[in-house]
Amino acid sequence: MDKVKEFEPIFHPNSMAVVGASSDEDKPGNRFLRAMIEFGFKGKLYPVNPEQSEILGRKTYPCIREIPEPVDFAYISTPASSVPRIIEDCVAKGVRAVEIFTAGFSEVGEEGHRLEQEIVALAKGNLRIIGPNCFGVYFPHGGLTLMPGPKYPKESGNIALISQSGGLATHFIWAASGYGLRFSKVMSYGNACDLNESDFLEYLAYDPETKTIAAYVEGVKDGKRFFDLAKGLLGRKPLIIWKGGLTETGKRAVNSHTGSMGGEKAVWQAFSRQTGTVLVDNFEEFLDTTAIFPHFSEGVGRRVAVVGGGGSVGVAASDACEQVGLQIPTSPPDIQQQLRVLLPPAGTSIRNPVDIGTPTLPPSVLQKVLEILLSWDGIDTLIIDRIFLYGTPQLVGMPGADSEKRAEVLVDIRKRVKKPLLAILGELATNVDKIDMETDRRRVQDRFLQAGIAVSPSLQRAVKALSNVCSYYEKACTDK
């Protein structure tokens, strides 16, 4: 595939020049060079700065042309006015691709737009450009990392992210890593003066390391091409898109951020319906939907059972599911009869949602309740709402609470049952006096993720993400 070959110098460079490298730790050139060294880039790194002879223990060159060996890829963090000359140097040197961190181009007005057009003209037919005004690429397997530093996971995964915003890309990597997600590749591409969202999407469509694609876009250069590529992914690789700039205020912010035009909400909703792309509205939905996709596959349905402790769970679950198009069927008489043997008549409900009365149900009883519900052919997914060690403050340190044993019940069931499980663990504990609670919550979350159990911080977020996954597979099945 030509597109895969075209991206070779970007994701598999044997050598890289850092133009604008500096010994000043506050400068982006220093931070990027240090990050690449610490992250483990195995190729050759060449700092470029005409005023220094050595940076971070590495010989430094005054100009990229004076590097004695071939250079595949260059990172540029010099003032915008100097970038055209540097692109000329890169072309003369035979550099095949560059990533321009520098801002100050089309997003700032007419003069910036002129500069951007100039570098495009200089590069045309010679090298490819990511940016300007971007954080670049993150490819753990190849030792490539984004700004601002080396603190991203070094393990690879099968999720890819395309992001017009560098800040959002970094935030998404950090947030997603907390849900056990690891990335095949991440591209922050800023103003997209050359390589754009369609180029990245086409590449990822053929990338064997990528199974799911998440994309934050503020504008699209070629709508027809982007549509055709998204349509071609349906049934092969889920595509989740958060489109920035769908409100009037958002459009103005997008234009000043990357110089893109926002687009109409109705157009993007039609795009989603026709291509099967999952269109999300905010960061939480973007994260949640991406995080649970790996836990579900074709054939997932909208019928759910919800089990929790406390009457409000049933009310909240019923409202939340109906609002997003999920179904909560009433449990049949045989299921109710089996549950009634286990649960006291007062303070519980054996219909669906199932209220077990207390989040501190003995593990042996909890196991039987869950197994009964999972034997029911009338549901597709079982949602377990905050009955482990988080959600009620008194659980932490409560003698006999058996919190970890209840969590292990679900892990054991996951090994024996194919039906999807979705565990609600509660929102992040931010109060200082609840730090122990948060530590316990994260420990259980990690245990569940290792066992292949989907997790979510809240019921409302969970069911919205699950509904998005169902919509994707429904469209994929219809268009077969």
Side-chain angles (χ1 to χ4, degrees), residues 466-477:
L466 178 57
S467 178
N468 287 341
V469 172
C470 290
S471 295
Y472 172 80
Y473 283 115
E474 287 164 1
K475 177 65 175 175
C477 184

Side-chain angles (χ1 to χ4, degrees), residues 52-290:
Q52 297 181 268
S53 60
E54 183 179 293
I55 298 173
L56 297 179
R58 293 173 184 258
K59 178 176 172 57
T60 300
Y61 297 87
C63 171
I64 199 169
R65 296 182 193 231
E66 297 189 29
I67 298 173
E69 298 182 49
V71 176
D72 293 331
F73 189 73
Y75 167 89
I76 301 172
S77 65
T78 61
S81 60
S82 69
V83 173
R85 174 184 54 78
I86 293 168
I87 294 296
E88 286 184 317
D89 291 342
C90 288
V91 170
K93 180 63 181 173
V95 176
R96 298 166 63 193
V98 302
E99 148 188 336
I100 304 175
F101 174 78
T102 307
F105 290 89
S106 60
E107 80 279 6
V108 300
E110 186 175 339
E111 176 58 23
H113 180 72
R114 184 195 64 75
L115 270 177
E116 194 166 291
Q117 292 302 108
E118 183 179 354
I119 65 173
V120 170
L122 289 168
K124 190 172 183 180
N126 297 298
L127 57 80
R128 303 311 302 263
I129 300 173
I130 302 176
N133 184 27
C134 75
F135 279 12
V137 297
Y138 167 63
F139 177 38
H141 183 71
L144 301 176
T145 187
L146 295 168
M147 286 289 285
K151 297 181 181 179
Y152 307 107
K154 294 184 178 182
E155 306 86 9
S156 295
N158 58 22
I159 307 291
L161 172 67
I162 304 169
S163 177
Q164 201 154 3
S165 165
L168 184 135
T170 62
H171 184 32
F172 192 81
I173 294 169
W174 284 325
S177 66
Y179 283 92
L181 295 185
R182 294 297 183 266
F183 292 85
S184 56
K185 296 172 178 73
V186 174
M187 302 90 149
S188 155
Y189 62 96
N191 294 9
C193 75
D194 177 31
L195 289 171
N196 60 50
E197 59 289 328
S198 294
D199 294 304
F200 296 122
L201 197 58
E202 184 177 354
Y203 170 79
L204 292 172
Y206 293 94
D207 178 28
E209 298 174 338
T210 297
K211 303 300 182 188
T212 302
I213 304 169
Y216 171 78
V217 297
E218 295 181 352
V220 172
K221 299 285 185 179
D222 184 340
K224 174 67 165 58
R225 182 185 174 203
F226 193 71
F227 178 93
D228 290 343
L229 288 166
K231 181 73 171 175
L233 286 169
L234 183 61
R236 295 175 52 221
K237 298 183 181 185
L239 174 60
I240 305 112
I241 294 180
W242 180 16
K243 173 62 182 70
L246 291 180
T247 65
E248 288 304 316
T249 304
K251 289 176 187 176
R252 291 195 296 271
V254 158
N255 191 46
S256 64
H257 181 211
T258 57
S260 300
M261 296 304 293
E264 297 297 328
K265 186 171 185 177
V267 172
W268 280 92
Q269 289 172 334
F271 171 90
S272 174
R273 288 194 300 271
Q274 293 174 44
T275 63
T277 296
V278 179
L279 190 65
V280 300
D281 293 327
N282 52 60
F283 183 86
E284 287 75 19
E285 189 183 355
F286 193 41
L287 175 63
D288 296 341
T289 304
T290 304

Side-chain angles (χ1 to χ4, degrees), residues 307-313 354-360 385-387 392:
V307 57
S312 64
V313 170
V354 174
D355 178 7
I356 59 175
T358 171
T360 58
D385 190 8
R386 290 174 297 176
I387 58 175
T392 51

